[in-house]
Amino acid sequence: MTVQTSLDTIRERALAELGTAADLATARDWERRFLGAKGELTAFLRGLGALPAEERPAAGRAANTLKQELSAAYAARETALAAADLDRRLAEDAVDVTLPGRQPAVGSTHPVTQMIAELSDIFALMGFQTVFGPEVETAHYNFDLLNIPSDHPARDVWDTFVLDTDEAEIVLRTHTSPMQARTMEQRQPPVRVVVPGRCYRYEAQDASHEWMFHQLEGLAVDERITMADLKGVLRELARQLFGPERRVRFRCDFFPFVEPGVDFAVDCAICGGKGCRVCKQTGWLEMGGAGMVHPKVLQGVGYDPERYTGFAFGLGVERMLMMRDGVGDVRAFAGNDLRFLRQFARAQV
Ligand code: YSA
């Protein structure tokens, strides 16, 4: 077989195979097989050394001409296949701009957050400023300054999560009351604040008790503040939150940081005070504790108890929601069941 015949055979086969390459990968494989370092044509060029010297120049020229022809054919085929590939990908990625958009999932504030905002608004109208305090507290603020010294039996009833006992005893606050002392240490009377926030108690959970829940503390200190002011403020709260027909009840209760102390209840809005599952058949729902700030607490923060008096209260935020919206189990609020939470969904502004 002459050199030219061999080259013609390679040429014919190469162009036929390139013509059938349907995608870029096949075309690149073709290039490797014919034009690559170990390709057929390269091997042919290397073999030229075995020819008689007088035949080599012509054979070399013919082989190089074929190489250029095949390279040009490959370049044209590659360009065509790349363009076809781009067209295909563009067609696949095409967006139909006339399709209606997907509805974005819009969240809503948690019912407890909503209730805290509502309570802050109600108290703001009565002149109370909303402030916040730490959830990780020292026993000094959580107990000592509230007239509950370490040897006092009342300390045991708070079911406290203790975080550290090394230097200062560090606890998760069991109530929002430590903010009474923190606030009074920072301001001089007149003081009027409410303090919403999380509290923690190492308690068995049931329909009305969670280990993590929210309270709203209230504190007013000034000259001539009386129990009548406390009753008036809490009655107004019940009126705004539950409606003018609700009745309120104050019964004697004991908290070491008040004198006298009361528990504050509202007649059950679900059953109208007749007795139901939510109010445990009593007709009343306890909202929290309250009272006149104990003189020792005032003294502890440097206030003169002869000059100043004050009232304070601590209300259960989940309890108020349960009562107003007929929720039978406090555990629902932290349960993360979207079917429950969506019932409180509000448009965000
Ligand atoms: C009392 C007098 C004051 O001058 C100021 C504040 C207080 C309240 C006091 N610091 C306190 O924590 N009292 S309390 O233990 O009775 O809790 C108040 C309210 O928090 C309860 O009425 C209830 O509504 C809510 N609460 C308490 N433990 C709870 C709870 N809510 C859900 N789960 C729990 N485990």
Side-chain angles (χ1 to χ4, degrees):
M1 199 189 282
T2 66
V3 168
Q4 192 54 53
T5 321
S6 303
L7 288 173
D8 286 347
T9 313
I10 293 176
R11 180 177 182 279
E12 209 172 299
R13 206 157 31 80
L15 291 177
E17 280 185 33
L18 185 62
T20 60
D23 53 45
L24 278 172
T26 317
R28 282 177 188 144
D29 181 57
W30 177 94
E31 190 208 15
R32 191 181 48 75
R33 283 189 294 109
F34 286 98
L35 300 171
K38 291 183 182 162
E40 227 173 290
L41 198 57
T42 317
F44 184 88
L45 279 162
R46 287 213 185 96
L48 289 181
L51 290 177
E54 66 279 9
E55 290 179 22
R56 274 185 225 149
R61 270 196 303 278
N64 275 325
T65 307
L66 177 58
K67 191 174 180 182
Q68 280 166 10
E69 184 185 348
L70 292 186
S71 297
Y74 171 71
R77 185 77 188 149
E78 191 193 32
T79 308
L81 286 173
D85 192 48
L86 182 64
D87 285 349
R88 182 185 54 75
R89 280 189 287 130
L90 283 176
E92 274 175 12
D93 290 353
V95 177
D96 182 351
V97 292
T98 63
L99 280 176
R102 286 196 194 107
Q103 192 73 32
V106 180
S108 173
T109 44
H110 190 276
V112 168
T113 309
Q114 292 173 16
M115 179 54 111
I116 287 174
E118 205 174 320
L119 290 168
S120 295
D121 287 349
I122 292 172
F123 281 108
L125 290 173
M126 292 192 265
F128 287 79
Q129 184 192 358
T130 299
V131 297
F132 298 91
E135 291 172 25
V136 176
E137 250 312 354
T138 60
H140 180 63
Y141 284 100
N142 200 78
F143 296 121
D144 300 343
L145 286 177
L146 290 169
N147 195 27
I148 317 174
S150 53
D151 56 353
H152 196 291
R155 197 126 158 179
D156 297 338
V157 305
W158 296 97
D159 304 308
T160 313
F161 284 109
V162 179
L163 299 186
D164 195 349
T165 48
D166 280 355
E167 282 180 23
E169 197 180 343
I170 309 289
V171 300
L172 289 181
R173 69 176 174 195
T174 55
H175 49 176
T176 41
S177 299
M179 271 304 283
Q180 288 188 28
R182 283 188 181 276
T183 307
M184 288 190 281
E185 277 179 347
Q186 286 162 13
R187 316 175 173 204
Q188 286 304 307
V191 171
R192 258 191 249 181
V193 292
V194 285
V195 191
R198 285 195 191 92
C199 306
Y200 303 83
R201 288 188 199 174
Y202 185 54
E203 271 190 308
Q205 287 171 282
D206 61 27
S208 46
H209 294 88
E210 260 286 16
W211 64 270
M212 186 278 289
F213 56 97
H214 294 75
Q215 285 188 345
L216 181 117
E217 191 81 7
L219 173 71
V221 184
D222 203 348
E223 292 175 358
R224 290 186 296 277
I225 294 243
T226 70
M227 190 85 180
D229 298 310
L230 168 65
K231 291 175 80 176
V233 164
L234 291 181
R235 189 184 297 275
E236 179 58 14
L237 166 73
R239 195 182 71 80
Q240 296 219 23
L241 209 54
F242 304 117
E245 65 282 5
R246 296 273 63 80
R247 288 180 299 146
V248 292
R249 184 187 72 183
F250 297 91
R251 287 193 309 187
C252 287
D253 203 350
F254 171 74
F255 300 96
F257 35 98
V258 284
E259 182 59 50
V262 290
D263 89 42
F264 164 59
V266 178
D267 70 332
C268 179
I270 312 291
C271 61
K274 292 191 193 72
C276 68
R277 192 173 60 92
V278 175
C279 64
K280 298 204 179 90
Q281 312 304 331
T282 64
W284 295 93
L285 277 167
E286 186 196 311
M287 296 287 117
M292 298 304 290
V293 181
H294 198 287
K296 278 196 181 165
V297 175
L298 295 174
Q299 251 163 358
V301 294
Y303 283 9
D304 177 2
E306 296 298 324
R307 181 172 175 201
Y308 296 114
T309 53
F311 66 76
F313 52 84
L315 309 173
V317 176
E318 284 88 348
R319 261 327 134 79
M320 286 187 273
L321 266 167
M322 288 168 78
M323 157 134 180
R324 197 185 58 180
D325 299 325
V327 178
D329 195 321
V330 68
R331 291 167 292 194
F333 292 108
N336 260 346
D337 185 336
L338 285 179
R339 290 167 304 177
F340 171 74
L341 294 173
R342 281 199 183 108
Q343 298 176 78
F344 299 86
R346 284 185 186 168
Q348 302 291 298
V349 277

